[in-house]
Amino acid sequence: MQINFNCIRHTPASLLRKAGLSAAVLSLSLANAFAAPSFDQPDPDFRGMVNAAGVVYPGSDAQLAGRGFTPGQEVILLQNGNALTQDALVADKDGNISAKVAIPAQAATGLHPVVVQVSKPSAAAVFELKVSPKIELSGQDKFELQSQHLVPGLYQSAYSPRSKALFVTSAVGRPPVKESQLLKVNPQTLAIEARVTPAAQKGRDDGQVQAVYGVGVDDAHGNVWVTNTRSNTVSVYSQKDLKLVKQFEDGAASHARDVAIDEKAQRAYVSSPGSKLISVFDTKKLAALEPIELKSRTRKELSPMSLALDSEHGRLYTVSASTNELIIVDLKNGNAQTVHALPGARGAAGVAVDSKNEQVYVASQGSDNLLIVDAKDGKVLHQVLVGAGALNVAYDPKTELAYVASRGAGTVTAVNGKGEIVANLDGGSFPNHVSLDGLGNAYLVNKAKGKDDPTADRITRIHLK
């Protein structure tokens, strides 16, 4: 059967059947709508949740999975009052349910609320089923792409003009993370020139290392800064030989994600998703400083994600995934903040800035789009659907293009300042991050879907012809 994304109320049954709803589903839906309430035994400890596996497109099948239910609980999934399965789903002995639902080809893209109606004992919840846009590949003839497999678990990269090298981080799996490397890569050949495995994390006996995730270069002091997300801190390595220069104590930066280096001001800024702080470090003294406390215009807790630095004008940009806000920190004016709401964004994650034209680019995982925002007044100038799970964006002033890595879609999309897609390129499985070298080249790293994934763990140089 198919989901009907239109309300069925006052619609003749014959038309509903033509729309793809079976008589059994129609009967179930109407029965649920008009049956007398039973007010049976509620579930005081309800923990059930449902989500969709993978990317869901119009005209595809959505594989829904649920967990945390009480064994034997009966679950009906409703969208716009319509039951999505012919029969109620019954939780197995482990409290799990599963269902495959056909999504109509005419389904609108976006987040669709689905009611999880539970009985025996009773409860209810809502989950959002995301239908993503299918953006076809295009513009391949405008770019030259060269790819090279590196190591498992690639996360981010950063280019050093001083060393003429790319520094790439990798970390594999969930805690305890025992496999992680910081790589020094030749930007021309994409060959690994040096590598180091971080030291073991102190105070643990499970073999976890100080795994590296985010990365930024400090050419003023010849160092590489990396975030140790799992141990809530950062560390500093030498660009020359990748020797450890400084390991900050665990807890120095909560769930450290991105790091941005201001070489002129000799500062390193680190974002912490799930907190309202930007951690600050002195890159000369290698010391922690007073953090920047971010402020939301909402009542929700902030979750700062990517960072973008405009060192010339002394501004630091970040986006909050939880509140969908753009926050601009004036580093030259006592860290004064300008906060702009991001209408149309859900799960804001990536941020980049075009300082010349005072435009900010925001990539959002939940809404699969790129917003181009006027930095002066926060007005959304353009909203571009780029693909499922738009995670990261980098703006190149040399080519005047923004490159968006969409993790779910497996693409990297080049967008100009007018909001036009110049190209939508194959990015392999799970594109994770894009960096630039200032010479007109973009570098994409992607992760693996599985052990036999031929496109996994690559770095790809993207050059506009």
Side-chain angles (χ1 to χ4, degrees), residues 166-201:
L166 277 167
F167 294 92
V168 185
T169 56
S170 73
V172 178
R174 297 186 178 277
V177 180
K178 302 178 182 180
E179 186 178 350
S180 176
Q181 295 183 67
L182 174 62
L183 310 174
K184 186 175 183 179
V185 174
N186 185 306
Q188 297 300 317
T189 65
L190 303 181
I192 298 173
E193 296 183 334
R195 67 180 79 197
V196 64
T197 296
Q201 185 179 346

Short mmCIF file of all heavy atoms in Angstrom, two decimals, residues 166-201:
data_model
loop_
_atom_site.label_atom_id
_atom_site.label_comp_id
_atom_site.label_asym_id
_atom_site.label_seq_id
_atom_site.Cartn_x
_atom_site.Cartn_y
_atom_site.Cartn_z
N LEU A 166 47.97 18.63 2.98
CA LEU A 166 46.65 18.43 3.58
C LEU A 166 46.82 17.61 4.84
O LEU A 166 47.58 16.64 4.87
CB LEU A 166 45.73 17.66 2.62
CG LEU A 166 45.01 18.42 1.52
CD1 LEU A 166 44.43 17.43 0.52
CD2 LEU A 166 43.91 19.30 2.10
N PHE A 167 46.10 18.00 5.88
CA PHE A 167 46.09 17.22 7.10
C PHE A 167 44.68 16.65 7.28
O PHE A 167 43.69 17.38 7.24
CB PHE A 167 46.50 18.09 8.29
CG PHE A 167 47.94 18.54 8.19
CD1 PHE A 167 48.26 19.75 7.57
CD2 PHE A 167 48.97 17.74 8.65
CE1 PHE A 167 49.58 20.15 7.44
CE2 PHE A 167 50.30 18.14 8.52
CZ PHE A 167 50.60 19.34 7.91
N VAL A 168 44.62 15.32 7.43
CA VAL A 168 43.34 14.60 7.41
C VAL A 168 43.22 13.79 8.68
O VAL A 168 44.16 13.11 9.10
CB VAL A 168 43.25 13.67 6.18
CG1 VAL A 168 41.88 13.01 6.10
CG2 VAL A 168 43.55 14.44 4.89
N THR A 169 42.03 13.84 9.29
CA THR A 169 41.77 13.06 10.51
C THR A 169 40.95 11.82 10.19
O THR A 169 40.16 11.80 9.25
CB THR A 169 41.02 13.90 11.55
OG1 THR A 169 39.80 14.40 10.97
CG2 THR A 169 41.86 15.07 12.03
N SER A 170 41.12 10.81 11.02
CA SER A 170 40.30 9.60 10.90
C SER A 170 40.09 8.99 12.28
O SER A 170 40.96 9.08 13.15
CB SER A 170 40.96 8.57 9.97
OG SER A 170 42.08 7.97 10.61
N ALA A 171 38.92 8.39 12.46
CA ALA A 171 38.60 7.68 13.69
C ALA A 171 37.54 6.65 13.34
O ALA A 171 36.60 6.95 12.62
CB ALA A 171 38.11 8.63 14.78
N VAL A 172 37.68 5.46 13.87
CA VAL A 172 36.82 4.35 13.49
C VAL A 172 35.95 3.90 14.65
O VAL A 172 36.45 3.58 15.74
CB VAL A 172 37.65 3.16 12.98
CG1 VAL A 172 36.75 1.98 12.62
CG2 VAL A 172 38.49 3.57 11.78
N GLY A 173 34.64 3.88 14.41
CA GLY A 173 33.72 3.27 15.35
C GLY A 173 33.37 4.12 16.55
O GLY A 173 33.76 5.28 16.68
N ARG A 174 32.63 3.51 17.45
CA ARG A 174 32.17 4.15 18.67
C ARG A 174 33.07 3.74 19.85
O ARG A 174 33.84 2.79 19.73
CB ARG A 174 30.71 3.78 18.94
CG ARG A 174 29.77 4.28 17.85
CD ARG A 174 28.32 4.04 18.21
NE ARG A 174 27.43 4.56 17.18
CZ ARG A 174 27.05 5.82 17.06
NH1 ARG A 174 27.48 6.71 17.95
NH2 ARG A 174 26.24 6.21 16.10
N PRO A 175 32.97 4.48 20.95
CA PRO A 175 33.83 4.17 22.10
C PRO A 175 33.70 2.72 22.55
O PRO A 175 32.59 2.18 22.53
CB PRO A 175 33.34 5.14 23.17
CG PRO A 175 32.76 6.28 22.40
CD PRO A 175 32.13 5.66 21.19
N PRO A 176 34.80 2.12 22.96
CA PRO A 176 36.14 2.71 22.97
C PRO A 176 36.75 2.75 21.56
O PRO A 176 36.83 1.71 20.89
CB PRO A 176 36.93 1.77 23.88
CG PRO A 176 36.24 0.45 23.76
CD PRO A 176 34.79 0.75 23.55
N VAL A 177 37.18 3.93 21.12
CA VAL A 177 37.78 4.10 19.79
C VAL A 177 39.27 3.77 19.88
O VAL A 177 40.04 4.49 20.51
CB VAL A 177 37.58 5.54 19.28
CG1 VAL A 177 38.21 5.69 17.89
CG2 VAL A 177 36.10 5.88 19.22
N LYS A 178 39.65 2.69 19.22
CA LYS A 178 41.03 2.22 19.30
C LYS A 178 41.82 2.48 18.01
O LYS A 178 43.04 2.30 17.98
CB LYS A 178 41.04 0.72 19.60
CG LYS A 178 40.32 0.34 20.89
CD LYS A 178 40.32 -1.15 21.11
CE LYS A 178 39.56 -1.52 22.38
NZ LYS A 178 39.55 -2.99 22.62
N GLU A 179 41.10 2.88 16.95
CA GLU A 179 41.75 3.09 15.66
C GLU A 179 41.53 4.51 15.20
O GLU A 179 40.40 4.93 14.93
CB GLU A 179 41.19 2.11 14.62
CG GLU A 179 41.89 2.15 13.27
CD GLU A 179 41.33 1.14 12.29
OE1 GLU A 179 40.53 0.28 12.71
OE2 GLU A 179 41.70 1.23 11.10
N SER A 180 42.61 5.30 15.13
CA SER A 180 42.53 6.70 14.72
C SER A 180 43.89 7.13 14.21
O SER A 180 44.93 6.68 14.71
CB SER A 180 42.11 7.57 15.91
OG SER A 180 42.11 8.94 15.57
N GLN A 181 43.88 8.02 13.20
CA GLN A 181 45.14 8.50 12.64
C GLN A 181 45.02 9.96 12.22
O GLN A 181 43.95 10.41 11.80
CB GLN A 181 45.55 7.69 11.42
CG GLN A 181 45.87 6.23 11.68
CD GLN A 181 46.33 5.51 10.43
OE1 GLN A 181 47.40 5.79 9.90
NE2 GLN A 181 45.52 4.58 9.96
N LEU A 182 46.11 10.68 12.35
CA LEU A 182 46.27 12.00 11.73
C LEU A 182 47.23 11.81 10.57
O LEU A 182 48.34 11.30 10.74
CB LEU A 182 46.82 13.01 12.73
CG LEU A 182 47.16 14.39 12.16
CD1 LEU A 182 45.93 15.09 11.60
CD2 LEU A 182 47.83 15.26 13.23
N LEU A 183 46.77 12.21 9.37
CA LEU A 183 47.54 11.99 8.14
C LEU A 183 48.05 13.31 7.57
O LEU A 183 47.39 14.34 7.66
CB LEU A 183 46.68 11.31 7.07
CG LEU A 183 45.89 10.07 7.48
CD1 LEU A 183 45.00 9.64 6.32
CD2 LEU A 183 46.83 8.94 7.88
N LYS A 184 49.23 13.24 6.96
CA LYS A 184 49.76 14.34 6.16
C LYS A 184 49.75 13.86 4.71
O LYS A 184 50.39 12.87 4.37
CB LYS A 184 51.18 14.70 6.60
CG LYS A 184 51.77 15.93 5.92
CD LYS A 184 53.13 16.27 6.51
CE LYS A 184 53.72 17.54 5.92
NZ LYS A 184 55.04 17.87 6.53
N VAL A 185 48.97 14.55 3.88
CA VAL A 185 48.70 14.07 2.52
C VAL A 185 49.20 15.08 1.49
O VAL A 185 49.02 16.30 1.64
CB VAL A 185 47.18 13.84 2.34
CG1 VAL A 185 46.83 13.47 0.90
CG2 VAL A 185 46.70 12.75 3.30
N ASN A 186 49.83 14.56 0.43
CA ASN A 186 50.27 15.39 -0.69
C ASN A 186 49.04 15.85 -1.48
O ASN A 186 48.30 15.01 -1.99
CB ASN A 186 51.21 14.60 -1.59
CG ASN A 186 51.82 15.45 -2.70
OD1 ASN A 186 51.11 16.10 -3.46
ND2 ASN A 186 53.13 15.45 -2.78
N PRO A 187 48.80 17.15 -1.61
CA PRO A 187 47.57 17.62 -2.27
C PRO A 187 47.56 17.37 -3.78
O PRO A 187 46.50 17.41 -4.40
CB PRO A 187 47.55 19.11 -1.96
CG PRO A 187 48.98 19.47 -1.73
CD PRO A 187 49.60 18.28 -1.10
N GLN A 188 48.72 17.11 -4.36
CA GLN A 188 48.79 16.84 -5.79
C GLN A 188 48.57 15.37 -6.11
O GLN A 188 47.74 15.02 -6.94
CB GLN A 188 50.15 17.29 -6.34
CG GLN A 188 50.41 18.78 -6.22
CD GLN A 188 49.37 19.61 -6.96
OE1 GLN A 188 48.99 19.28 -8.08
NE2 GLN A 188 48.90 20.69 -6.33
N THR A 189 49.31 14.51 -5.43
CA THR A 189 49.21 13.07 -5.70
C THR A 189 48.15 12.39 -4.81
O THR A 189 47.74 11.27 -5.09
CB THR A 189 50.56 12.37 -5.46
OG1 THR A 189 50.89 12.49 -4.06
CG2 THR A 189 51.66 13.04 -6.29
N LEU A 190 47.77 13.07 -3.71
CA LEU A 190 46.84 12.54 -2.70
C LEU A 190 47.42 11.33 -1.98
O LEU A 190 46.69 10.55 -1.36
CB LEU A 190 45.48 12.20 -3.32
CG LEU A 190 44.77 13.34 -4.04
CD1 LEU A 190 43.42 12.87 -4.57
CD2 LEU A 190 44.60 14.55 -3.14
N ALA A 191 48.75 11.20 -2.03
CA ALA A 191 49.43 10.11 -1.33
C ALA A 191 49.71 10.52 0.11
O ALA A 191 49.94 11.69 0.42
CB ALA A 191 50.73 9.76 -2.03
N ILE A 192 49.70 9.53 1.00
CA ILE A 192 50.00 9.78 2.41
C ILE A 192 51.52 9.94 2.56
O ILE A 192 52.29 9.04 2.21
CB ILE A 192 49.50 8.64 3.29
CG1 ILE A 192 47.97 8.51 3.18
CG2 ILE A 192 49.90 8.86 4.75
CD1 ILE A 192 47.40 7.30 3.88
N GLU A 193 51.95 11.06 3.11
CA GLU A 193 53.37 11.32 3.30
C GLU A 193 53.83 11.02 4.74
O GLU A 193 55.00 10.73 4.97
CB GLU A 193 53.70 12.78 2.96
CG GLU A 193 53.45 13.12 1.49
CD GLU A 193 53.84 14.54 1.14
OE1 GLU A 193 53.82 15.40 2.05
OE2 GLU A 193 54.15 14.79 -0.04
N ALA A 194 52.92 11.13 5.67
CA ALA A 194 53.24 10.82 7.08
C ALA A 194 51.95 10.53 7.81
O ALA A 194 50.86 10.94 7.38
CB ALA A 194 53.98 11.98 7.72
N ARG A 195 52.07 9.82 8.91
CA ARG A 195 50.88 9.49 9.70
C ARG A 195 51.30 9.25 11.14
O ARG A 195 52.45 8.91 11.43
CB ARG A 195 50.17 8.27 9.14
CG ARG A 195 50.94 6.98 9.27
CD ARG A 195 50.16 5.80 8.70
NE ARG A 195 50.22 5.73 7.24
CZ ARG A 195 49.39 5.02 6.50
NH1 ARG A 195 48.39 4.36 7.06
NH2 ARG A 195 49.52 4.98 5.20
N VAL A 196 50.33 9.45 12.05
CA VAL A 196 50.58 9.20 13.45
C VAL A 196 49.30 8.69 14.09
O VAL A 196 48.20 9.13 13.73
CB VAL A 196 51.09 10.47 14.18
CG1 VAL A 196 50.03 11.56 14.19
CG2 VAL A 196 51.53 10.15 15.59
N THR A 197 49.44 7.75 15.00
CA THR A 197 48.32 7.27 15.80
C THR A 197 48.36 7.95 17.15
O THR A 197 49.40 7.96 17.81
CB THR A 197 48.40 5.74 15.99
OG1 THR A 197 48.28 5.10 14.72
CG2 THR A 197 47.30 5.25 16.91
N PRO A 198 47.26 8.56 17.57
CA PRO A 198 47.26 9.25 18.86
C PRO A 198 47.55 8.31 20.01
O PRO A 198 47.31 7.11 19.94
CB PRO A 198 45.83 9.81 18.96
CG PRO A 198 45.34 9.85 17.55
CD PRO A 198 45.98 8.70 16.87
N ALA A 199 48.06 8.89 21.09
CA ALA A 199 48.38 8.12 22.29
C ALA A 199 47.10 7.66 22.97
O ALA A 199 46.01 8.19 22.74
CB ALA A 199 49.21 8.96 23.25
N ALA A 200 47.24 6.67 23.84
CA ALA A 200 46.11 6.16 24.60
C ALA A 200 45.58 7.25 25.53
O ALA A 200 46.34 8.09 26.04
CB ALA A 200 46.52 4.94 25.41
N GLN A 201 44.28 7.24 25.73
CA GLN A 201 43.66 8.20 26.63
C GLN A 201 43.96 7.79 28.07
O GLN A 201 43.73 6.66 28.48
CB GLN A 201 42.16 8.25 26.39
CG GLN A 201 41.45 9.32 27.19
CD GLN A 201 39.95 9.35 26.91
OE1 GLN A 201 39.49 8.76 25.93
NE2 GLN A 201 39.20 10.03 27.76
#
